[in-house]
Amino acid sequence: MTKVLGRVAAAVLALGLCAGAALAQPDYPRRPVTLIVPFAAGGPTDVISRIVGEHMSRTLGQQFVIENALGAGGTTASTRAMRAQPDGYTIIMGHMGTHAASVALYPNLAYKPDADFAPIGMVAGTPVLILGKKDFPPRDLNEFATYVKANVDRLNMAHAGVGSVSFTTCLLLNHILNVKPTSIPFNGTGPALTALIAGQVDYMCDQIVNVVQQINAGQIKAYAIGTAARSPALPNVPTSKEAGLPQFEAQAWNALFAPKDTPKPIVDKLSAALDKALDDDNTRQRLLELGSVLPEKPQRGQDALLALVKSEIGRWTPIIRAAGPSN
Ligand code: MLT
């Protein structure tokens, strides 16, 4: 009898705990949410996070606090996010580099992008451009290829660390051209772009969100965009196919992830808030002006993001292996 009563008491306690957890979730969030940005402030991931985070914080009634956590091409921050309490109070803006390319770039990567996170949703596609400093001699992509091949020993290429979009997409570019320039890492393409504008580095590959204004102001040169169609934000920049380098296919993406065991109702709440942000006219306009490509409804959800992560790991792994050692 005592045993039976003990079991009943344990069951009641377990039920109570479950009810407590379920009751706690409708209140979520009760305090600010930390949104980890794995790169420097002012760069593309940071800018997109602040625009979307602002709207999500209005929807959820709590501040989204941006925390720029730097290092190792975004993989340090991603490891931290993976190990954070799975309670919905720490999430990360991952991207094509941190959550796809890094798998092949780091054989001992601490996390599995497609298994160690709860996908919240895709935020934006970000086409990647081939860029040169203002007084870089080549006038078009053909001349760029010839010039870089002839002068590679004295050229510097900027990027945001092994694991970043800028590193991975220029790895593809350099592999196509069969060149290995000196590579100069920064903590994000915010600072890398500053170096390109100052003429301290010769070329880089960067997401459109970081560079529309600087291209239009003539502070840097744009040779091509790595998407099938030109961007409405930069209609004069040819696609890599039009410019003669069709193998340079480079569109990155940004997406929100929570740690793996975050309760489903919380992840659903975050997904719904993101969806609402992506439906908001003002948020859309701000993202579109920067050249982002906004996901349609079917591309937005948790399942669609997981499928994207898997397919992007599948796409980038052989490219990176064919390009050879990263450093
Ligand atoms: C950044 O925000 O600095 C970029 O997303 C870095 C990159 O991946 O190239």
Side-chain angles (χ1 to χ4, degrees):
M1 187 55 152
T2 320
K3 262 189 190 166
V4 172
L5 282 177
R7 274 193 216 121
V8 170
V12 168
L13 183 66
L15 269 175
L17 286 176
C18 287
L23 280 178
Q25 284 158 18
D27 294 345
Y28 169 85
R30 280 172 294 161
R31 54 187 168 87
V33 173
T34 297
L35 171 49
I36 298 178
V37 170
F39 296 97
T45 317
D46 183 72
V47 168
I48 288 179
S49 298
R50 284 173 199 275
I51 294 173
V52 170
E54 192 184 298
H55 195 278
M56 289 177 74
S57 75
R58 281 207 298 277
T59 301
L60 294 173
Q62 286 289 348
Q63 211 192 338
F64 273 49
V65 180
I66 304 286
E67 187 186 311
N68 299 90
L70 313 179
T75 58
T76 306
S78 303
T79 304
R80 215 199 102 202
M82 183 262 296
R83 292 184 179 145
Q85 277 297 320
D87 56 8
Y89 290 99
T90 306
I91 60 174
I92 184 165
M93 184 68 80
H95 71 6
M96 184 217 94
T98 57
H99 283 68
S102 292
V103 172
L105 290 168
Y106 290 94
N108 297 318
L109 193 66
Y111 57 90
K112 289 192 173 63
D114 55 349
D116 292 336
F117 293 88
I120 295 170
M122 156 101 159
V123 176
T126 53
V128 174
L129 293 114
I130 301 170
L131 306 161
K133 63 182 177 181
K134 188 172 141 186
D135 58 0
F136 206 40
R139 284 165 301 177
D140 59 28
L141 195 57
N142 276 329
E143 288 188 13
F144 178 96
T146 309
Y147 184 86
V148 169
K149 283 179 192 170
N151 297 283
V152 68
D153 290 345
R154 54 191 186 84
L155 294 181
N156 294 322
M157 179 205 83
H159 62 87
V162 178
S164 65
V165 166
S166 44
F167 178 86
T168 306
T169 50
C170 254
L171 188 69
L172 170 63
L173 174 67
N174 293 334
H175 179 59
I176 296 166
L177 300 180
N178 194 22
V179 294
K180 277 203 195 298
T182 302
S183 101
I184 313 280
F186 292 82
N187 277 326
T189 52
L193 179 65
T194 305
L196 189 71
I197 292 169
Q200 290 156 356
V201 291
D202 298 297
Y203 72 98
M204 67 187 275
C205 301
D206 200 5
Q207 298 162 74
I208 191 166
V209 169
N210 206 30
V211 294
V212 170
Q213 206 187 320
Q214 293 77 1
I215 291 168
N216 287 334
Q219 293 177 302
I220 53 173
K221 280 184 178 169
Y223 291 100
I225 189 164
T227 40
R230 292 187 182 207
S231 167
L234 287 170
N236 296 327
V237 176
T239 66
S240 49
K241 190 173 178 194
E242 289 170 334
L245 211 63
Q247 313 95 300
F248 185 77
E249 283 177 32
Q251 162 148 303
W253 43 268
N254 289 258
L256 288 175
F257 298 85
K260 179 173 73 175
D261 293 323
T262 307
K264 179 87 167 82
I266 290 180
V267 182
D268 287 347
K269 220 164 183 179
L270 288 162
S271 299
L274 172 60
D275 195 49
K276 200 166 171 192
L278 293 174
D279 281 343
D280 174 68
D281 285 343
N282 181 259
T283 305
R284 292 179 70 82
Q285 194 188 329
R286 289 171 74 192
L287 291 169
L288 289 170
E289 274 169 9
L290 293 167
S292 306
V293 179
L294 298 181
E296 299 297 336
K297 287 276 182 192
Q299 302 166 313
R300 284 191 200 171
Q302 298 164 19
D303 293 345
L305 176 54
L306 182 60
L308 175 72
V309 169
K310 284 181 191 288
S311 84
E312 285 283 272
I313 292 172
R315 171 174 187 227
W316 284 102
T317 298
I319 292 176
I320 291 163
R321 292 206 177 125
S326 312
N327 295 301

